[in-house]
Amino acid sequence: MTCFDPDAPTGSGFWHWVLFDLPVSVTELPAGAGSGKFEGLPAEAVHARNDYGTRDFGGAAPPAGERHRYVFTVYAVDQETLGPGAEASAAVVGFNLRFHTLGRAQLIGEYEAPAG
């Protein structure tokens, strides 16, 4: 499960959430799954660091007056564990996902920060 902002003014987007190694039996996430506390998540689940440098869901925070897209993606992969650990960057997790994804589903939300 990832959340990526392709509109962030970084030249490479911004990773807000990277959660992986969820068992195939998981069909929903509990409220607060992105809190970083791991409450209600399977023991196998791994939160990698997002671009805020934390292991949780870092919420939407576009610059004042800008509208950004937030791409939430759920992946089906071809192995039980993806490989990288919690210290991996989002880019490394994405690299592994690229070569092990069987299918994916995306939901794209938009948020516009109020003008300053």
Side-chain angles (χ1 to χ4, degrees), residues 3-4 7 11 16 18 25 29-31 45-48 59 63 65 67 69-70 73 81 99 114:
C3 178
F4 179 71
D7 303 315
H16 286 262
V18 182
S25 61
L29 295 175
V46 178
H47 264 128
R67 178 180 296 269
R69 294 168 291 161
Y70 296 88
T73 307
T81 59
F99 293 101

Side-chain angles (χ1 to χ4, degrees), residues 2 15 17-18 48-51 87-95 97:
T2 62
W15 291 97
W17 195 19
V18 182
R49 291 195 185 277
N50 58 32
D51 283 342
E87 292 298 323
S89 68
V92 168
V93 175
F95 177 82
L97 284 169

